Amino acid sequence: MRYLRRRAPGSATTTAGSTSRRAVAASALAAVTLASFHAPAALAVVGPAETSAADFAVRLDIGTDEATHRACSGALVAPEWVLTAASCFADDPAAGHDVAAGAPPAATTATIGRGDLTTSEGEERAVVALVPHESRDLVLARLAGSVTTVVPAVVGTAAPAAGEQLTVPGYGRTATEWSPVQRHVGTFAAGTAVGGDLPISGVAGAAVCAGDTGAPVLSGTGAGTALVAVATRSWQGGCFGADPAETRTDAVASRVDDVRGWVGATTRTARIVDFNCDGIRDVAVADPAATVNGSARAGLVRIVYGGGAGTTEIRQGLNGIEGGPETDDRFGFSLATYDRNLDGCTDLAVGTPYEHLDDAAGVAQADTGWVQVVYGDRAGLNSGRAGTTYVQAAGDGQLATAAREAGDLMGYALAAGHTGDGTPFLAIGTPGEDVGSKADTGGFFYLQGDRPAKAVNQDSSNYGGAADPGDRFGASIAADSHHLAVGAPNETIGSATAAGSVHLLSHTLDTTGVPAYQAVLNQDSDAVSGGSESGDEFGAALDLIEYRPSAGTTSTDSLLAVGSPGECLVNAATGQNRPDAGRAVVFRVTPGGSWSEVANIEQNQPGVSGDPEDGDRMGASVALANTDPAGVGTAETVHVAVGVPGETVGGVSRSGLVQVYSPLGTLAGTEFQLVAGTGGLPGTAGAEQHLGSVLHGTGTHLYVGMPDGPATYGAVHAVPWGNLTAGGSAAVTTYQPGSGGLPAAGAAFGSAVR
């Protein structure tokens, strides 16, 4: 078999009739370098044009430089995943198919469900991460967003029998076309599988050509069609540009039927934070109270790269990060992560709400705030592109026209991620923003893709409620790919001051270009347990995750956790009111914004341990997680952690605790109380440690920030969910200044973590 890689006809170094080839044993079929040339349409070697079936077939364009651009084929196997050949991404496919996990080596675009490339049908997505198989010429490519308009291919359960007819749809060369504009399909006969290889032979002149690398090999027809292999190597007999003397149309494909477990496990994993694009989880931990260059509470963020790749420090004044460390800036007060530029490297958004900035007249204004995005890179965070600063009275859209005012607190809360189609978004809370003459009503800025920034407050068109002084709308924000939730914990409900409310929004933009308004929740809303009372602070803490209901094929809904740490409860044992006892509520939210309560978590009801006490502040932090994000949500896979940082444990004042439940199960049957010495959490309970003040959930771990000790500078503990739900005893990872390459310095390490 042979490796074929050519420049486009008419290029400076080759002509349409020349060939560039070399024979190599069991070599990988190269992806063709394409240009805008198209030969006249004719019957393809690989088969006739096919534009209606096999919509899960994918065209991959790898690289943007014409001289090195490649095209490959593949198959959509899950809404966010394409299966193709690893050799498509190798530097030299003839030398092997080894490819590093993480961001693809060159910018890659996947076109799905487009049989005719001259049309706009189907979907386009950037490829943001690669997960290669450990030994075969196979790779799973993660897309920037889900594809919901195309049904994924079904991976087969067995190798085809020798002689069985197979079909291969692809976008490679034909007999007469260098770069065909239509998908084609050929018929092949299966040989006898040998290990991971499946030999196939072209029928009636069909062949696998350059550009068909990674094409799906399918058995069966109609509803019984199954993906059994991926085309990887071929003799390319009769393909355009091949040696005319070559007549062999045999090929070898990499089997997938016997690695379907790997496909299933990989495609069910959630995205990870990966600042250096190597496919290994990284962690960002903020210390907004840290002294930097002699400036107290200037703040910094420490990065721990996974796989032992070291640590780094992010702060103002570094090359690429605007500003400088100043007293009381509190850089790192809030954090959010997303892939802002869709290069496959995670980017870090850092809020500095107490930054002092001058207004339009040059007068210094205290606590105006700003947000900076620090970009990931293969060399590490902040090693490539300079950061982006979002600040009022600068930038684009309504950020450019917004006035900087004292106490705006821009960046007090952040939420970032990607919409369903993969578009990056960032929401920036400004809870101290004045609306007209009304002080501290609050608002937020919303940035989606490359659209201009939009300012939103409760007086925005079609928004529920009204902007009133002191609402602090935007003091908390959470988001997933479906929804935004924005808290106004100081909202007055009826006559109850600071009772609080939460507003639900969609990433779909309304006619004014802002997120479409869906609903408002407060404790006086129908179907919300409890009632609005002064000081409840409903919405002070929020979290959102995607959720797949039992009747759904994808994660169409969301789960929303709302903390109400100021809730006053009656202690059932004593009959006394207990102010600031707190509680948390979990809601299910549908795509249209309708909602229902699924769990009420407070220490006064069956299934929830403990008695409400003054200052428990249950719900001061909340964290949701789904350990199987692609599967139907169950009591075993969906978890909520609720912080109770004011809880006195064993007589130790305000040592704090974390209570973990499944909101989809019975509270009593799923409760776990996390305190020092349980679940693998190290240490012993200490006074004023406020365990539960900082929580962050991922699909694998609950991250517990402990900025108030017992460690001298603070710490973060990554606790596996299995330790909290199934009696597991897996190792807990601790991030702590003075160990693991982190300098022994700081003041409140663990105040925020991502």
Side-chain angles (χ1 to χ4, degrees):
M1 297 186 187
R2 56 191 184 129
Y3 164 70
L4 176 64
R5 182 173 178 182
R6 291 171 39 85
R7 292 182 182 271
S11 70
T13 57
T14 62
T15 64
S18 67
T19 60
S20 172
R21 64 183 185 273
R22 56 181 172 150
V24 291
S27 67
L29 171 67
V32 65
T33 301
L34 299 175
S36 58
F37 173 84
H38 299 298
L43 183 67
V45 171
V46 76
E50 184 283 309
T51 60
S52 58
D55 267 353
F56 49 71
V58 175
R59 151 82 173 235
L60 293 168
D61 288 286
I62 304 168
T64 56
D65 181 77
E66 182 176 316
T68 58
H69 174 262
R70 302 179 183 181
C72 276
S73 300
L76 186 76
V77 292
E80 213 173 65
W81 293 90
V82 169
L83 179 63
T84 186
S87 51
C88 288
F89 299 93
D91 290 337
D92 181 3
H97 52 74
D98 287 344
V99 61
T108 302
T109 300
T111 303
I112 309 103
R114 186 174 298 170
D116 184 340
L117 298 177
T118 64
T119 70
S120 60
E121 64 183 359
E123 307 281 351
E124 291 184 5
R125 297 285 187 272
V127 172
V128 295
L130 303 177
V131 181
H133 189 271
E134 61 182 6
S135 60
R136 293 192 188 170
D137 190 0
L138 295 171
V139 68
L140 281 160
R142 182 169 224 139
L143 305 178
S146 295
V147 175
T148 59
T149 58
V150 175
V151 177
V154 176
V155 178
T157 58
E164 180 180 341
Q165 275 204 346
L166 308 171
T167 55
V168 180
Y171 290 90
R173 298 180 195 175
T174 68
T176 56
E177 296 173 288
W178 181 279
S179 175
V181 297
Q182 292 183 317
R183 184 171 62 223
H184 291 76
V185 63
T187 301
F188 293 79
T192 300
V194 179
D197 288 340
L198 176 68
I200 57 176
S201 301
V203 175
V208 173
C209 298
D212 292 322
T213 309
V217 179
L218 309 171
S219 70
T221 58
T225 300
L227 172 62
V228 294
V230 164
T232 53
R233 309 188 295 276
S234 171
W235 290 105
Q236 303 176 69
C239 297
F240 183 85
D243 186 346
E246 180 59 75
T247 60
R248 288 171 291 185
T249 59
D250 298 337
V252 174
S254 291
R255 289 175 59 191
V256 298
D257 62 281
D258 58 339
V259 294
R260 64 195 309 267
W262 167 74
V263 174
T266 303
T267 58
R268 296 172 83 93
T269 59
R271 295 190 191 197
I272 62 171
V273 171
D274 184 10
F275 298 122
N276 60 351
C277 334
D278 63 356
I280 304 173
R281 170 67 152 109
D282 304 323
V283 178
V285 182
D287 187 343
T291 296
V292 180
N293 293 348
S295 297
R297 297 171 299 281
L300 54 78
V301 180
R302 300 204 182 278
I303 308 300
V304 180
Y305 296 111
T311 66
T312 193
E313 178 182 300
I314 301 297
R315 57 178 174 81
Q316 295 185 92
L318 296 177
N319 289 336
I321 303 177
E322 192 174 351
E326 299 165 322
T327 299
D328 289 324
D329 278 351
R330 301 182 72 179
F331 178 83
F333 185 87
S334 60
L335 299 176
T337 54
Y338 67 141
D339 187 356
R340 169 66 185 86
N341 54 354
L342 295 180
D343 65 349
C345 306
T346 303
D347 306 317
L348 177 68
V350 184
T352 312
Y354 296 95
E355 179 79 24
H356 295 4
L357 297 169
D358 292 347
D359 64 13
V363 178
Q365 302 292 312
D367 303 339
T368 52
W370 64 9
V371 172
Q372 291 162 298
V373 174
V374 185
Y375 291 93
D377 187 85
R378 291 183 182 280
L381 199 64
N382 197 42
S383 297
R385 173 180 173 178
T388 299
T389 299
Y390 294 111
V391 58
Q392 297 182 82
D396 63 4
Q398 290 173 302
L399 270 173
T401 59
R404 302 172 190 163
E405 299 164 327
D408 281 345
L409 298 177
M410 182 180 179
Y412 189 91
L414 294 174
H418 303 86
T419 64
D421 65 0
T423 304
F425 68 83
L426 174 65
I428 302 171
T430 55
E433 182 76 26
D434 299 344
V435 177
S437 61
K438 294 175 285 190
D440 298 338
T441 58
F444 71 95
F445 290 98
Y446 182 76
L447 301 101
Q448 185 185 107
D450 294 324
R451 297 178 176 89
K454 289 291 184 178
V456 181
N457 59 63
Q458 291 182 89
D459 278 351
S460 297
S461 176
N462 300 321
Y463 272 56
D468 295 313
D471 282 349
R472 291 182 61 81
F473 179 68
S476 57
I477 303 179
D480 64 8
S481 65
H482 308 313
H483 298 96
L484 286 160
V486 183
N490 282 26
E491 178 92 28
T492 295
I493 306 298
S495 61
T497 59
S501 65
V502 177
H503 298 256
L504 287 173
L505 320 171
S506 166
H507 292 294
T508 300
L509 305 182
D510 69 12
T511 56
T512 67
V514 302
Y517 190 80
Q518 293 185 313
V520 60
L521 289 74
N522 61 61
Q523 293 178 100
D524 280 353
S525 301
D526 291 341
V528 177
S529 58
S532 294
E533 300 164 324
S534 293
D536 281 348
E537 300 175 69
F538 183 79
L542 300 171
D543 201 10
L544 261 172
I545 60 169
E546 290 92 353
Y547 163 65
R548 177 180 167 185
S550 58
T553 57
T554 60
S555 298
T556 56
D557 294 17
S558 300
L559 291 176
L560 167 66
V562 179
S564 182
E567 181 77 26
C568 180
L569 297 174
V570 176
N571 187 309
T574 65
Q576 294 177 312
N577 287 331
R578 295 301 188 187
D580 296 335
R583 73 164 184 152
V585 189
V586 180
F587 301 91
R588 173 184 171 183
V589 185
T590 68
S594 62
W595 51 270
S596 58
E597 183 178 308
V598 297
N600 172 35
I601 303 169
E602 59 183 58
Q603 292 177 311
N604 238 355
Q605 63 172 333
V608 179
S609 298
D611 296 317
E613 299 165 329
D614 295 2
D616 280 349
R617 302 285 293 173
M618 184 179 202
S621 63
V622 291
L624 283 162
N626 190 343
T627 60
D628 184 11
V632 172
T634 68
E636 288 72 35
T637 60
V638 176
H639 312 295
V640 61
V642 182
V644 195
E647 180 78 20
T648 294
V649 178
V652 181
S653 176
R654 288 179 287 278
S655 53
L657 63 81
V658 180
Q659 295 185 230
V660 179
Y661 303 90
S662 169
L664 304 180
T666 60
L667 297 182
T670 61
E671 183 185 64
F672 185 96
Q673 288 200 347
L674 178 66
V675 297
T678 68
L681 193 68
T684 58
E688 310 300 330
Q689 289 179 1
H690 305 114
L691 172 63
S693 60
V694 180
L695 299 174
H696 175 64
T698 71
T700 58
H701 292 80
L702 175 66
Y703 286 79
V704 181
M706 297 190 67
D708 297 325
T712 302
Y713 311 109
V716 170
H717 307 284
V719 183
W721 284 110
N723 290 16
L724 308 174
T725 61
S729 57
V732 170
T733 303
T734 294
Y735 305 91
Q736 181 175 308
S739 64
L742 294 169
F749 179 88
S751 295
V753 58
R754 288 294 181 270

